[in-house]
Amino acid sequence: MAGSPHDAIAVGDHGYAAHLDAAGHTRIECGEEMTSSLRAVVRADAIAWAVGEHGVVVRLDAQGCTVERAPDPAAPTLLAIGIGVHGRPFAVGDEGACVERDASGAWQASDLDAGRSSLRGVERIERYVYLVGTGGAILRRIVVDGT
């Protein structure tokens, strides 16, 4: 889940996504073809991105749900998403998978080499983006903002 108690997005199994507010929840339909389970979500203003099984990435906004990176049975599961060093969504997951949304909106492999560790978390704190994973893996990258 990402957001506040009065305005949040929740994701889950079989492509489930919902907007939660003080009045309850409203399902965000991702389409019947979206069967991959979603594992994490991040919000950036009025847009949210969710990631999950088989490397799927969806964008959730006022227009609904859009698959930005289609699931691929050979792709590792993405387990966490945050805002990366370039200020854009950055997702990590099993087998050291790291993908980032580029300026054109396409999802590309990151230049980060995390080895084969399963990365489970992304957290941006001040000038750094931290990644944590299995086996005690902790990576830190500095934010690129021109200063």
Side-chain angles (χ1 to χ4, degrees):
M1 207 159 82
S4 70
H6 300 287
D7 182 22
I9 300 291
V11 297
D13 290 342
H14 307 293
Y16 179 82
H19 178 251
L20 291 80
D21 59 22
H25 73 280
T26 306
R27 176 120 190 215
I28 303 169
E29 291 297 332
C30 287
E32 290 181 23
E33 69 281 355
M34 204 356 228
T35 60
S36 294
S37 292
L38 299 172
R39 296 292 174 230
V41 63
V42 68
R43 291 197 62 179
D45 300 320
I47 299 174
W49 285 270
V51 297
E53 288 180 320
H54 309 298
V56 70
V57 179
V58 298
R59 184 181 71 241
L60 305 161
D61 57 24
Q63 285 71 44
C65 177
T66 304
V67 176
E68 287 200 348
R69 186 171 190 246
D72 175 355
T77 293
L78 296 173
L79 299 167
I81 185 166
I83 302 301
V85 297
H86 301 289
R88 297 185 296 267
F90 179 82
V92 297
D94 287 337
E95 301 172 27
C98 299
V99 295
E100 186 170 16
R101 193 172 196 263
D102 67 19
S104 72
W107 287 85
Q108 305 292 333
S110 168
D111 62 351
L112 179 67
D113 181 7
R116 304 286 293 169
S117 293
S118 180
L119 298 172
R120 304 288 174 99
V122 177
E123 185 70 33
R124 188 172 173 148
I125 302 171
E126 295 179 9
R127 295 199 35 83
Y128 299 98
V129 175
Y130 294 90
L131 308 175
V132 295
T134 58
I138 301 173
L139 294 93
R140 181 182 73 174
R141 300 187 80 187
I142 194 162
V143 171
V144 178
D145 65 1
T147 59

